[in-house]
Amino acid sequence: MDAGLVAPCERPSAVREVRRVKPRPLPKTVAPLPDELLSGWLSRLAAANYCDDAELLAHIEIDTTHGSALDFSIDAAAAEKIASAARVASDVVRSLTFPAMTLREASLTAQMPFQHCLQCSREGLSLRHWRRAWAFDCQVCGTRLVQTLGKTGDEQISEKLIYRARRGAGMLECAARSRGPKQLRRAMRAVTFAMSLKTFRGDPSFAVQNPRSEVRLFCLAAIAAARSHPLAKAAIVSHSIDDYARVALLRAFEKEPRLLAAVDHIAQRRARSTGMMTAESRS
Ligand SMILES: [Zn+2]
């Protein structure tokens, strides 16, 4: 990466220095669009001024290692510097960051981009709502958001899965914004369940922010399934359960024995009725 337009230098006494050193206004500025994310707008600003993001931040004298963190919290000094370089009010700069959120919202808001709208991305846009785990369709153009690590081209995702995942995403939003923790706990349990069946590892809140569509869509669909069926059916719905998946389930629910017993019971009953279970695994 280039060192930038201005060599970085140490500034120990922040406030006094900042007042004194204002970056020179950039030759060109661009107006922020509704719901635009600060980092996205800075990228457009950089492009308009024929430089890259790192060079722009170096010019404004903002530590480049904090580029994406700026979207979540920006101090007054940094906002002021960006504002004067871009010739906008510092309130405008601040309005492009995420507002204060509850812990629940924060756990479902990605620090890094994991999905985008192909249509709007082509125009260089990067919008705030794309970072929410529950965002499913672009609020600007209505196109379905796609995961950043999804296979490019026409992915073979079934319409049914998309339909279910979209419903699950809506429920996740309600859960994230509800007053009590109960709804979200239920949603995350369904996600944990889905993860255990697909042997995904990690935190369920990260699974729904996964940059791979096969992970994210399946987990969102499980939230919708858990609502319309008893929990246990959530993930069994699409796949007959095998011994391997049962072991994964045992692991996922080891801290909730009652729930596990219910899950296991339904799984066995289901397997028996479809005749897929072998005699050994019943014991
Ligand atoms: Zn769009």
Side-chain angles (χ1 to χ4, degrees), residues 134-147:
W134 57 79
F136 204 83
D137 299 297
C138 178
Q139 285 171 20
V140 169
C141 70
T143 308
R144 182 168 68 83
L145 300 173
V146 293
Q147 274 58 68

Side-chain angles (χ1 to χ4, degrees), residues 117-121 125 127 129-130 138-143 145:
C117 165
L118 288 176
Q119 193 102 352
C120 295
S121 290
L125 287 186
L127 303 180
H129 74 274
W130 299 351
C138 178
Q139 285 171 20
V140 169
C141 70
T143 308
L145 300 173

Side-chain angles (χ1 to χ4, degrees), residues 175-205:
R177 297 199 159 141
S178 70
R179 281 168 187 270
K182 209 171 156 190
Q183 271 192 55
L184 188 64
R185 212 183 296 139
R186 195 190 298 147
M188 285 301 132
R189 200 183 277 149
V191 172
T192 308
F193 200 169
M195 289 168 73
S196 69
L197 281 189
K198 291 275 186 179
T199 59
F200 303 136
R201 292 176 196 284
D203 191 290
S205 62

